Amino acid sequence: MPIKTIVAILQNERDAARVLDCSLPLARQFEAHLIGVHAEAMPVPYTSASGFPDTEFLQVSADLNKERAGKLKAEFTQRTEGSGLSLEWRSLETFSGDSAISALSSVRAADLVVAGQGEEGGDSTADIGALVYDAGRPVLVVPHSGPMVTSFNRILIAWNGSREAARAAFDALPFIVQAELTEILIIDPPEDLDGSVDAGSEIAASLSRHGANVSVAAVKSGGASMEDVIQDHLSATGADLLVLGAYSHSWLRRLIFGGVTRSVLRAGAVAAFLSR
């Protein structure tokens, strides 16, 4: 399915530039409608020492929110001016002020969502994990540092045969069919499979029928975490896009141990395409 509607999540000035650096070229490439979304929190009423609402505080909060939203809208307008693209800006005011969570109604009607990777300890960071979990649409997570790549010539699919992995692989087809090479990575394949790569042969064949150039790699973790194996393989192969089925383990395991999805959302070195 071609990508015709892209939603760009702009939470703050820090990540807006990188999100637009990614979403604008993609909108041009696919001739897609681009929607910029930003949310501000509704001012929380505080009471003064006398017990009355602190109207001055409310006004200051409202003014700050309006100023921040205006700056992001201005950046979106400036970056897109003269582009010839089909564009739309949506400024929201919600209780959370989280642009990712507040944008759910918008992203569920999109073909692709582009959001910035959260930084450890960063303030005013959007909850991209909740976005990926609840959106029902693929989310392209842009790393918070490093070179910005949107051509995605070499793609790595982390394949474990799960429903989420299958969803991600086929959601990413618009990128996969244009890539020079897509590699299916299988970590610790079952021992009873002849030659190990059989674990990914069926999905590789299916993607190949769409015209993709696909290979399969089976590796042993050797006791290393799945996150480390994937990141090491990304570095070794020079892949510029990771395709991952998000949250394919139980909520209890994710809560206690974290997982590959959480690692990618916080510290992935390349762009990550996630679906569930």
Side-chain angles (χ1 to χ4, degrees):
M1 181 181 70
I3 296 172
K4 289 301 177 185
T5 304
I6 298 174
V7 171
I9 305 296
L10 307 179
Q11 174 69 9
N12 51 53
E13 293 180 73
R14 184 180 62 251
D15 66 14
R18 291 187 68 81
V19 170
L20 290 174
D21 283 346
C22 181
S23 55
L24 281 169
L26 293 179
R28 294 189 191 98
Q29 177 183 343
F30 293 105
E31 298 181 345
H33 180 67
L34 178 62
I35 303 171
V37 178
H38 171 72
E40 285 291 340
M42 295 178 179
V44 178
Y46 284 91
T47 57
S48 63
S50 60
F52 292 97
D54 190 337
T55 56
E56 182 179 354
F57 175 84
L58 287 173
Q59 186 60 52
V60 169
S61 297
D63 291 343
L64 288 173
N65 291 352
K66 184 177 180 179
E67 180 182 0
R68 185 165 44 236
K71 287 180 178 179
L72 287 169
K73 180 180 180 180
E75 180 168 1
F76 180 82
T77 302
Q78 182 182 7
R79 292 286 304 275
T80 57
E81 187 176 6
S83 65
L85 295 171
S86 176
L87 302 164
E88 187 177 347
W89 174 258
R90 296 180 183 175
S91 187
L92 309 174
E93 190 177 45
T94 64
F95 286 110
S96 69
D98 187 309
S99 300
I101 297 173
S102 304
L104 284 175
S105 61
S106 296
V107 305
R108 285 176 179 156
D111 298 309
L112 179 67
V113 186
V114 182
Q117 183 186 71
E119 294 187 63
E120 290 285 356
D123 59 339
S124 187
T125 299
D127 191 344
I128 306 303
L131 175 68
V132 171
Y133 193 86
D134 290 326
R137 309 303 302 135
V139 179
L140 181 62
V141 180
V142 180
H144 54 66
S145 60
M148 178 61 63
V149 177
T150 57
S151 55
F152 304 135
N153 290 321
R154 191 176 182 106
I155 296 175
L156 182 69
I157 300 177
W159 181 256
N160 61 4
S162 66
R163 177 188 69 84
E164 293 82 2
R167 175 70 181 271
F170 286 100
D171 279 349
L173 265 176
F175 297 109
I176 290 172
V177 297
Q178 293 183 2
E180 293 178 2
L181 176 65
T182 296
E183 186 173 54
I184 311 294
L185 176 65
I186 301 128
I187 303 172
D188 294 333
E191 294 291 343
D192 58 347
L193 288 177
D194 183 22
S196 295
V197 295
D198 290 348
S201 60
E202 193 165 0
I203 183 64
S206 182
L207 296 176
S208 296
R209 294 184 193 105
H210 286 274
N213 182 22
V214 184
S215 66
V216 180
V219 301
K220 297 289 186 180
S221 65
S225 67
M226 298 293 107
E227 302 96 291
D228 288 342
V229 174
I230 291 172
Q231 294 300 332
D232 288 347
H233 202 78
L234 284 168
S235 298
T237 60
D240 45 33
L241 179 66
L242 171 65
V243 174
L244 181 72
Y247 300 116
S248 58
H249 293 101
S250 73
W251 70 269
L252 181 60
R253 183 184 187 281
R254 293 196 309 272
L255 180 65
I256 298 174
F257 299 107
V260 178
T261 305
R262 182 180 296 180
S263 175
V264 167
L265 292 176
R266 291 182 176 178
V270 302
F273 184 102
L274 297 99
S275 292
R276 70 172 297 274

